Amino acid sequence: MSDIAEDKKAAAKQAISFVLDDMVVGLGTGSTAFFAIKILGEKVAAGLQIKGVPTSLVTAHLAHECGIPLLAEFDKIDLTIDGADEVDPQGNLIKGGGGALTREKIVAAASEKEIVIVDFSKQVMRLGKFPLPVEVLPFGLKYVVSQLRKDFACEVRIRKSGDEAFRTDNGNYIVDCEFNQIVDPAELTVHLNNIPGVVDNGLFVGLTDLVIVGKGAGEAETILFDRKKSDARENPHHPL
Ligand code: 5RP
């Protein structure tokens, strides 16, 4: 296994230690979340009682293979473990490298606790080097692309999968936007989501409770954020 993969696994392993019996657990998408789902599957096989909420069809398939029971619908999730493409010092994220950003954001918003697991390469001082994914309804694609080019001085690319345009699990397109530096993620996310035809964008602002960073030699650093004061802190299921 590469060093980066080891770091992802170390972060995943630490995140799983927060999962307790009877929790509803949001299951992220991507190569880091992959390790968390595998470890969770082993815990379920050993008797852990949880129900999962997958953030993508790929994750649903993997969770099923690992024997994790899944919920078809949800209104509240105890804890979600997901990866990210970039994390800034405030815990704001860019997500959507795997195209699952809209479901990932719904699951993060429904979660009492959102744990983000990354290797150290995902930590940045300022978001924006990673092209920001924007999910777009097919009907609005041409209009949204023209608005993005007009409103922002950024390069805009429709994501491909081989020769075809990439489609999300929701049947939509992804437009990747090269901002390079995002000065105000909260303002940008509102601006983007106000363009008719935009379903959602990959900026996750104020949705992170804990970031766990794999740092080499099986070590992981945890960074705590105060996303929201809620009754979650009185809930015995929540050790955070
Ligand atoms: C998928 C995501 C992933 O969490 C993100 O792309 C990170 O993936 P990886 O862990 O493979 O680096 O947002 O939509």
Side-chain angles (χ1 to χ4, degrees), residues 164-229:
E164 307 279 307
F166 174 89
R167 294 282 191 141
T168 69
D169 289 348
N170 313 310
N172 298 319
Y173 293 119
I174 295 282
V175 175
D176 291 306
C177 303
E178 302 259 5
F179 283 98
N180 278 316
Q181 290 213 11
I182 296 173
V183 177
D184 186 343
E187 196 270 327
L188 180 59
T189 195
V190 171
H191 190 147
L192 289 168
N193 285 7
N194 270 342
I195 301 172
V198 168
V199 177
D200 211 333
N201 72 84
L203 283 169
F204 283 46
V205 178
L207 287 171
T208 303
D209 293 289
L210 193 69
V211 174
I212 304 181
V213 190
K215 289 253 154 140
E219 297 294 315
E221 179 193 358
T222 58
I223 309 163
L224 191 60
F225 295 94
D226 198 11
R227 161 160 64 142
K228 59 184 176 190
K229 303 263 188 290

Side-chain angles (χ1 to χ4, degrees), residues 8 29-33 82-85 95-101 104 117 122:
K8 291 179 179 191
T29 295
S31 58
T32 318
D82 201 353
D85 300 298
K95 286 184 53 54
L101 60 125
E104 289 171 330
I117 50 175
K122 307 291 184 68

Side-chain angles (χ1 to χ4, degrees), residues 53-237:
V53 176
T55 52
S56 64
L57 299 179
V58 169
T59 288
H61 184 73
L62 176 64
H64 184 69
E65 273 182 359
C66 293
I68 302 171
L70 297 178
L71 290 177
E73 49 183 22
F74 60 92
D75 57 356
K76 221 169 150 190
I77 293 169
D78 292 299
L79 179 74
T80 288
I81 301 171
D82 201 353
D85 300 298
E86 284 185 349
V87 185
D88 78 6
Q90 288 73 43
N92 299 317
L93 314 173
I94 287 185
K95 286 184 53 54
L101 60 125
T102 299
R103 294 190 190 199
E104 289 171 330
K105 201 181 279 187
I106 295 168
V107 165
S111 296
E112 287 291 347
K113 294 292 167 196
E114 176 84 2
I115 301 182
V116 176
I117 50 175
V118 290
D119 63 81
F120 73 95
S121 71
K122 307 291 184 68
Q123 285 184 297
V124 296
M125 286 313 290
R126 186 168 271 184
L127 300 177
K129 271 259 170 320
F130 191 91
L132 179 67
V134 177
E135 181 161 355
V136 181
L137 272 179
F139 182 77
L141 183 66
K142 210 166 167 188
Y143 169 73
V144 170
V145 168
S146 75
Q147 288 302 111
L148 289 170
R149 290 197 172 121
K150 182 162 84 66
D151 290 359
F152 306 103
C154 69
E155 201 181 303
V156 172
R157 272 189 319 274
I158 298 167
R159 191 179 294 183
K160 296 265 199 182
S161 173
D163 290 341
E164 307 279 307
F166 174 89
R167 294 282 191 141
T168 69
D169 289 348
N170 313 310
N172 298 319
Y173 293 119
I174 295 282
V175 175
D176 291 306
C177 303
E178 302 259 5
F179 283 98
N180 278 316
Q181 290 213 11
I182 296 173
V183 177
D184 186 343
E187 196 270 327
L188 180 59
T189 195
V190 171
H191 190 147
L192 289 168
N193 285 7
N194 270 342
I195 301 172
V198 168
V199 177
D200 211 333
N201 72 84
L203 283 169
F204 283 46
V205 178
L207 287 171
T208 303
D209 293 289
L210 193 69
V211 174
I212 304 181
V213 190
K215 289 253 154 140
E219 297 294 315
E221 179 193 358
T222 58
I223 309 163
L224 191 60
F225 295 94
D226 198 11
R227 161 160 64 142
K228 59 184 176 190
K229 303 263 188 290
S230 78
D231 57 3
R233 283 167 208 280
E234 274 91 62
N235 183 336
H237 284 319

